[in-house]
């Protein structure tokens, strides 16, 4: 099987089948990126991500991975999507705002249990930046080094952001548990629920 780098080189040389294979390989991850962050326009944003990468093919110089390039493109489109929908003159950067505060509708993802529904809602009540790193960690199972590459930051910065995001998620999740009258989950249970939801989203 060809590596991403090999497919990218072939694609840049004009092999459209290599480009199709490359995008097919990363389609699931990009779709998961948008699935719990938009209440409509899911397929449109996925398609626009790949179209933007095709249009910017010559600008991608291969200094990072194609997955990081695609995710960066998806992130920019997501921020543009929500920036266009919020009130003019808002001073808080869009990445620091939660989907809950943006008034997003229901998640495009389906939850099977009360715990999964609470988890999806908790993710949508933390900032977009926190939501992304949490989903990368739990759903894509990325390491600290891989998180740093995907986010374009030093590894220590990525690990620090992840720690803060996990603490924030746990706080929001337990508040939702108390509101529902459910027993409080341990950190291990919360981690297992988050990873389990990610595995199911990948199927």
């Amino acid at each position: 099987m060809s590596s991403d780098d090999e497919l990218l080189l072939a694609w840049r040389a004009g092999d459209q089948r290599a480009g199709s294979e490359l995008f097919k390989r990363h389609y699931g991850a990009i779709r998961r990126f948008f699935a719990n962050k938009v209440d409509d326009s899911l397929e449109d944003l996925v398609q626009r991500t790949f179209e933007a990468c095709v249009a910017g093919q010559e600008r991608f110089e291969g200094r990072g991975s194609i997955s990081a390039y695609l995710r960066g493109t998806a992130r920019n489109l997501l921020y543009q999507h929500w920036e266009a929908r919020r009130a003019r003159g808002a001073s808080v950067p869009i990445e620091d705002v939660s989907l809950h505060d943006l008034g997003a509708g229901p998640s495009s993802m389906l939850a099977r249990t009360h715990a999964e529904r609470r988890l999806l809602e908790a993710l949508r009540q933390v900032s977009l930046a926190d939501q992304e790193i949490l989903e990368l960690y739990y759903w894509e199972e990325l390491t600290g080094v891989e998180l740093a590459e995907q986010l374009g930051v030093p590894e220590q910065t990525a690990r620090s952001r992840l720690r803060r995001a996990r603490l924030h998620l746990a706080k929001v999740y337990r508040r939702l548990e108390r509101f529902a009258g459910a027993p409080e989950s341990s950190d291990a249970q919360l981690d297992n629920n988050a990873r389990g939801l990610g595995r199911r989203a990948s199927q």
Side-chain angles (χ1 to χ4, degrees), residues 119-138:
L119 181 57
L120 287 176
E121 179 56 30
L123 283 166
R124 289 157 68 85
Q125 289 190 30
V126 301
S127 71
L128 284 168
D130 280 356
Q131 183 179 354
E132 179 182 8
I133 197 169
L134 288 163
E135 290 176 3
L136 283 171
Y137 176 70
Y138 286 121

Side-chain angles (χ1 to χ4, degrees), residues 140-194:
E140 307 301 329
E141 300 183 345
L142 300 191
T143 65
V145 172
E146 292 167 333
L147 286 171
E149 182 200 18
Q150 292 290 319
L151 299 172
V153 298
E155 181 182 352
Q156 192 56 43
T157 300
R159 291 184 180 278
S160 178
R161 286 185 187 177
L162 177 61
R163 282 193 296 271
R164 289 196 302 269
R166 291 177 73 188
L167 287 171
H168 192 191
L169 178 69
K171 180 179 179 181
V172 173
Y173 185 80
R174 289 177 179 132
R175 184 177 70 234
L176 293 173
E177 284 184 321
R178 288 193 297 272
F179 181 78
E184 184 173 297
S185 299
S186 66
D187 289 343
Q189 287 172 319
L190 178 54
D191 284 346
N192 286 337
N193 286 340

Side-chain angles (χ1 to χ4, degrees), residues 10-61:
W11 177 48
R12 287 171 65 91
D15 186 341
Q16 296 305 309
R17 286 179 299 180
S20 295
E21 176 59 31
L22 193 62
F23 290 162
K24 187 188 304 182
R25 186 174 292 181
H26 293 282
Y27 174 84
I30 296 302
R31 194 178 193 283
R32 283 191 297 278
F33 172 83
F34 286 115
N36 194 37
K37 299 183 186 71
V38 293
D39 47 12
D40 57 15
S41 306
L42 171 61
E43 297 300 339
D44 177 60
L45 285 165
V46 173
Q47 182 177 341
R48 286 171 57 198
T49 297
F50 289 106
E51 287 175 349
C53 287
V54 171
Q57 175 183 359
E58 296 306 318
R59 291 194 299 274
F60 179 64
E61 299 175 355

